[in-house]
Amino acid sequence: MALSLHHGERVMLDKVGGFADGVAVKEVGVETFCLCRELVDGVVLVSRDAICASIKDMFEEKRSILEPAGALALAGAEAYCKYYGLKGKNIVAITSGANMNFDKLRVVTELANVGRKQEAVLATILAEKPGSFKQFCELVGPMNITEFKYRCSSDKAAVVLYSVGVHMVSDLEAMKQRLESSQLRTYNLTASDLVKDHLRYLMGGRLNVENEVLCRFVFPERPGALMKFLGTFSPRWNISLFHYRGQGETGANVLVGIQVGKSEMEEFIQRSESLGYEYVLVTNDSNFQLLMH
């Protein structure tokens, strides 16, 4: 809708996320677009994390659970007020809908604090030697570690993935500076959906796999979807990684690694297109290289 209003005509998206499924459409309706073009002054865009934060806020204040598409309005209203510096005003957000299930609630609990900027996801490279973990914890200092994942992968260095509670952005920056000053390279991965949806659950599996192509597929939630996928790629190529985690969406987000030679990439792309599932290549994603290779 934002793009359609900007261009003055209905625009079709290549793909849409299914988390806020009540508003997940590739192309807005004719009548809806006409009404919005006449009556709507603007569109506010917010992230999935911000939607989760609004769901949590509503539950904590009113003990009501909103569906993502309803919480979208609340997140948008908050972003609007923050952008324009509005205070002491009456703002109305239409939070219609009750399409919520426990799979989505699990995602909400994991991302709400990130959306409210109360939690950050980071990775730090430590020397693989006695005392390095203690040094790391001392440098983190008063920051509360809410999640920590580490597995020995070489004799020289280790990558740890962790989350910390954040009270002020300045606290996070100060911690990051302390680590960097001690030659501990640290990366803020909070904005990466690939990390939050998949890689945080795969820590400990660092390996260099020959000719590995990494893709994110959206599987339709219906019987036979997995077998159709396997029939397309197996046994033609070896599947080297597979991570699926239900998120209560109409489509399942799946991270797949497949060993495909350079001379076979054209065939791989053709088969991927013919499969009919939405997909994107993420082989060169910097966060995947950091955590898994």
Side-chain angles (χ1 to χ4, degrees):
M1 180 61 80
L3 285 173
S4 297
L5 292 175
H6 175 74
H7 291 288
E9 61 182 8
R10 292 191 301 149
V11 173
M12 179 174 288
L13 302 177
D14 294 330
K15 59 181 180 179
V16 294
F19 182 67
D21 48 8
V23 293
V25 293
K26 288 188 175 182
E27 184 180 31
V28 298
V30 175
E31 187 63 23
T32 306
F33 174 67
C34 291
L35 289 171
C36 288
R37 184 168 55 179
E38 180 181 352
L39 302 172
V40 170
D41 294 312
V43 177
V44 180
L45 302 176
V46 297
S47 68
R48 180 183 60 170
D49 297 348
I51 294 173
C52 291
S54 291
I55 293 174
K56 181 182 178 183
D57 287 346
M58 176 62 82
F59 177 76
E60 290 183 341
E61 292 186 22
K62 300 296 183 182
R63 287 298 185 265
S64 295
I65 299 178
L66 301 175
E67 72 162 85
L72 172 67
L74 194 60
E78 181 177 343
Y80 182 87
C81 292
K82 184 176 181 180
Y83 183 83
Y84 288 105
L86 299 182
K87 295 182 179 180
K89 303 292 185 180
N90 292 324
I91 307 295
V92 178
I94 308 299
T95 57
S96 58
N99 185 20
M100 177 60 83
N101 56 45
F102 277 95
D103 287 332
K104 282 185 180 178
L105 281 175
R106 180 178 60 193
V107 177
V108 171
T109 58
E110 292 175 352
L111 299 181
N113 286 339
V114 172
R116 191 52 70 228
K117 292 181 170 52
Q118 295 173 343
E119 187 177 55
V121 182
L122 302 105
T124 295
I125 299 177
L126 303 181
E128 194 64 83
K129 64 181 182 180
S132 60
F133 182 40
K134 181 181 179 182
Q135 179 197 22
F136 167 80
C137 292
E138 289 172 345
L139 291 170
V140 171
M143 302 289 283
N144 179 38
I145 297 178
T146 57
E147 180 182 31
F148 189 93
K149 295 181 179 179
Y150 155 74
R151 178 75 168 89
C152 178
S153 58
S154 75
D155 295 331
K156 297 180 180 179
V159 178
V160 295
L161 181 68
Y162 58 102
S163 300
V164 294
V166 178
H167 296 289
M168 297 179 64
V169 175
S170 58
D171 294 336
L172 180 63
E173 290 300 321
M175 183 201 76
K176 192 171 182 291
Q177 188 172 2
R178 288 195 300 272
L179 292 165
E180 295 279 3
S181 298
S182 298
Q183 281 70 55
L184 298 181
R185 279 184 291 154
T186 299
Y187 305 86
N188 190 338
L189 310 180
T190 308
S192 172
D193 286 341
L194 182 63
V195 171
K196 290 178 290 189
D197 289 348
H198 297 289
L199 300 185
R200 71 194 303 178
Y201 305 105
L202 296 172
M203 281 297 292
R206 291 166 58 80
L207 186 68
N208 287 313
V209 180
E210 185 180 6
N211 295 327
E212 186 177 50
V213 175
L214 193 72
C215 298
R216 296 183 77 181
F217 283 89
V218 179
F219 281 32
E221 290 280 19
R222 61 171 181 259
L226 174 59
M227 291 307 298
K228 181 181 179 182
F229 172 85
L230 294 175
T232 302
F233 299 108
S234 180
R236 177 67 177 91
W237 295 291
N238 179 52
I239 295 176
S240 55
L241 181 151
F242 194 94
H243 181 257
Y244 159 79
R245 194 162 187 271
Q247 297 182 338
E249 302 182 12
T250 53
N253 203 345
V254 182
L255 181 67
V256 182
I258 303 177
Q259 290 180 271
V260 182
K262 292 183 179 179
S263 62
E264 303 164 344
M265 276 302 297
E266 184 177 347
E267 180 188 351
F268 173 77
I269 295 296
Q270 290 176 348
R271 291 197 180 205
S272 299
E273 296 289 344
S274 65
L275 178 63
Y277 298 175
E278 292 182 9
Y279 79 99
V280 59
L281 292 170
V282 293
T283 307
N284 297 322
D285 183 271
S286 59
N287 296 322
F288 176 77
Q289 299 296 327
L290 172 68
L291 297 176
M292 301 300 294
H293 276 181

